[in-house]
Amino acid sequence: MGDSTQFVIAGNWKMNGMLEESLSFVDNLTENPAPNAVEMAIMPPYTLLHSLSKPLAEKGVVLGAQSMYFEKSGAFTGSISPLMLRDAGCHYVILGHSERRDIMHEGNALLRKKLDAAWENGLEPMFCIGEHLEEREAGTTNEVLKNQLSVLAGTDVSLPLTVAYEPVWAIGTGKTASPEQVSETHAFVHQELARLGRKCRVLYGGSVNAGNAESLMACEGVDGALVGGASLKADSFMEIVAAAARVAA
Ligand code: PEP
């Protein structure tokens, strides 16, 4: 797990998935073609974490959650804690997804508390960053990413972290960043992480699918993909894993 593999292909199911269909999804997963080079991870909704934990592990798939609150337990109606995610078998937790930033108004201060809580409880954050279309068009992408990454300043660099660069305009839109935009932005993100004392995997996310995965994974500085829509079906998820395996070979 973690940095031992070249790529991670992570499926973010968002608010999708019922018990029966998700168990069939796991049944339909084929064998990872390159387990030493590609790690597979699935982030289902909270309601499925316990039920999918064992079946996914048996298929060599790492479990993650899509968000969490930062407290361990207590009077926080409707929230879920890092301890509960560990108890359900999670390794990863997505933090800072643009849907949480934009719809639930999660900002840097809250995200820092969540990052610290994830680490304190043995979870690996999959920390999402990304610019809106207006910001890219205004030429402020790097400034936006730098601000989002500034949350990591002063954190213990030995703690596990995966970053996902997801241009907001590419999420769920069918538009992907061009290979030039991806390579250029990933270079900036790696450089900024190095300035903060970190060396970690940086995934690309935003309308990754079976048809474009290979060219995106081949871009300089890309260490995997965070996949939304195309991770809901076992065959398209496995095709993306296979594309990463071809690039790794
Ligand atoms: C995501 O939710 O992180 C995502 C990248 O979604 P999609 O692949 O559907 O664009």
Side-chain angles (χ1 to χ4, degrees):
M1 253 182 253
D3 285 333
S4 58
T5 51
Q6 188 172 349
F7 290 114
V8 55
I9 303 298
N12 171 17
W13 285 3
K14 311 193 186 193
M15 200 169 71
N16 296 291
M18 299 293 181
L19 180 59
E20 211 171 309
E21 64 182 341
S22 66
L23 289 170
S24 310
F25 171 97
V26 182
D27 274 348
N28 291 331
L29 287 174
T30 51
E31 206 179 315
N32 183 344
N36 295 324
V38 185
E39 178 186 294
M40 308 195 301
I42 293 287
M43 286 76 171
Y46 300 133
T47 47
L48 297 175
L49 289 173
H50 272 286
S51 319
L52 295 193
S53 178
K54 195 161 172 267
L56 282 174
E58 283 168 2
K59 295 265 182 162
V61 181
V62 180
L63 187 68
Q66 299 172 21
S67 182
M68 60 168 213
Y69 195 51
F70 58 85
E71 296 282 0
K72 278 194 169 78
S73 63
F76 304 101
T77 302
S79 299
I80 194 144
S81 85
L83 269 185
M84 293 168 179
L85 299 184
R86 287 289 298 168
D87 189 48
C90 289
H91 170 81
Y92 289 114
V93 60
I94 297 177
L95 295 177
H97 192 282
S98 65
E99 286 151 20
R100 302 290 312 178
R101 291 179 189 266
D102 292 348
I103 305 170
M104 317 294 174
H105 311 293
E106 295 194 4
N108 280 359
L110 177 64
L111 288 170
R112 174 59 183 265
K113 287 185 180 172
K114 290 188 177 199
L115 283 163
D116 286 339
W119 283 317
E120 272 161 31
N121 291 283
L123 293 163
E124 175 167 350
M126 193 170 277
F127 184 58
C128 301
I129 56 170
E131 81 287 359
H132 292 90
L133 186 59
E134 313 81 79
E135 293 162 335
R136 179 156 283 274
E137 286 174 349
T140 58
T141 298
N142 289 359
E143 222 172 284
V144 170
L145 301 179
K146 187 174 177 171
N147 174 265
Q148 292 171 336
L149 287 169
S150 70
V151 169
L152 298 169
T155 58
D156 180 347
V157 297
S158 70
L159 293 167
L161 175 72
T162 294
V163 168
Y165 165 60
E166 302 201 293
V168 181
W169 47 271
I171 297 180
T173 58
K175 290 183 195 150
T176 50
S178 68
E180 295 72 32
Q181 287 171 324
V182 173
S183 304
E184 198 179 287
T185 313
H186 276 243
F188 175 76
V189 173
H190 280 292
Q191 177 196 310
E192 199 49 30
L193 285 164
R195 210 180 53 79
L196 293 162
R198 288 206 176 254
K199 190 177 182 317
C200 69
R201 291 185 302 196
V202 180
L203 316 186
Y204 171 79
S207 297
V208 176
N209 59 39
N212 61 25
E214 193 162 340
S215 61
L216 287 165
M217 294 307 98
C219 291
E220 189 70 29
V222 172
D223 306 302
L226 182 53
V227 187
S231 73
L232 293 171
K233 294 270 179 292
D235 55 354
S236 53
F237 181 71
M238 286 315 307
E239 282 175 45
I240 296 169
V241 171
R246 285 195 296 278
V247 175

